[in-house]
Amino acid sequence: MVSEVLQRPTLVLNRSWQPVNVATVARALVMVWSGAARVVDPVDYQLYDWEDWSRADAEDGQEFVRTVSRRIRVPEVITLADFNRLPSTTVAFSRRNLFKRDRMTCQYCGRRPKGGELTIDHVIPRSHGGGSNWENCVLACVPCNQNKADRSLEKAGLKLLNTPKQPNWNPIYSQHTTGYQSWAKFISDAYWSAELLE
Ligand SMILES: [Zn+2]
């Protein structure tokens, strides 16, 4: 139970309160304990150092980490004290992120097959030198992929519903599928709020 709570996510803000990362609760608590970060109360934006935070006992209904003598509340958001790391701007190209970008939808026929039977199609086939990247890979249902086979779009007579490109969502959110409702206050990202905080 304790280790499960310690693996939960904490949103990490830089000094300008821009989200830069998501850490585990364990890591976040160590950062607060060492003075590298302070906890942000997402309700009133008050900042807590370790002494204040560990002294405030968890209330009923709040997640906590039990220590020998007290229950320490799980920090949902922390802010870094010392340096102003900037958010990274590139979303890693991965199978999981591609499924998110294309919203589980075949980019040729627009279907969302039940059971998620989707494949990754290289728009310019690999055999023709097409690369594995955001601009050349799309989700395709099995029939569309089989129909297109090893042909270019022109040869196959197919059109893409969207121009494939690198998604512009904050890369932090590509790594995590769960978060807290409270994070939405610190994140101006339509994708995140719409898809992940349901
Ligand atoms: Zn299709």
Side-chain angles (χ1 to χ4, degrees):
M1 174 59 195
V2 166
S3 63
E4 205 174 284
V5 171
L6 289 173
Q7 291 309 308
R8 290 199 56 103
T10 299
L11 183 66
V12 182
L13 310 177
N14 67 13
R15 283 177 66 185
S16 313
W17 289 42
Q18 296 170 294
V20 288
N21 200 359
V22 174
T24 61
V25 164
R27 175 87 190 114
L29 285 173
V30 168
M31 285 196 280
V32 175
W33 173 78
S34 68
R38 287 186 290 175
V39 179
V40 180
D41 186 322
V43 176
D44 60 10
Y45 304 111
Q46 202 175 321
L47 296 173
Y48 294 85
D49 61 17
W50 175 257
E51 204 173 309
D52 292 337
W53 186 253
S54 60
R55 209 187 290 144
D57 207 14
E59 291 165 27
D60 287 347
Q62 291 177 328
E63 287 192 294
F64 59 88
V65 180
R66 187 180 289 283
T67 66
V68 178
S69 56
R70 47 172 74 122
R71 301 187 310 171
I72 297 173
R73 270 174 70 191
V74 164
E76 296 180 11
V77 182
I78 62 171
T79 177
L80 295 170
D82 286 338
F83 65 106
N84 224 4
R85 206 174 116 189
L86 289 175
S88 153
T89 51
T90 45
V91 178
F93 177 74
S94 70
R95 181 183 173 84
R96 189 170 144 175
N97 287 341
L98 191 66
F99 271 72
K100 278 192 195 177
R101 183 197 69 181
D102 290 350
R103 294 171 182 269
M104 309 290 288
T105 305
C106 173
Q107 294 301 298
Y108 293 108
C109 69
R111 285 195 315 123
R112 297 180 102 169
K114 288 203 181 84
E117 290 252 318
L118 287 161
T119 59
I120 294 175
D121 177 61
H122 285 70
V123 179
I124 301 167
R126 271 183 291 195
S127 57
H128 300 194
S132 296
N133 52 49
W134 284 120
E135 290 75 29
N136 194 48
C137 289
V138 295
L139 291 188
C141 67
V142 174
C144 282
N145 204 337
Q146 282 172 350
N147 171 39
K148 179 168 174 282
D150 212 12
R151 297 182 293 175
S152 65
L153 289 180
E154 297 74 34
K155 288 251 169 68
L158 288 167
K159 276 202 176 115
L160 285 166
L161 297 177
N162 304 292
T163 306
K165 56 185 185 211
Q166 179 176 292
N168 60 7
W169 14 285
N170 190 314
I172 296 169
Y173 320 129
S174 61
Q175 301 158 27
H176 297 269
T177 50
T178 56
Y180 291 95
Q181 199 72 47
S182 63
W183 291 6
K185 290 181 180 178
F186 304 92
I187 292 166
S188 52
D189 188 292
Y191 179 87
W192 174 250
S193 358
E195 299 278 322
L196 301 182
L197 290 175
E198 282 171 356

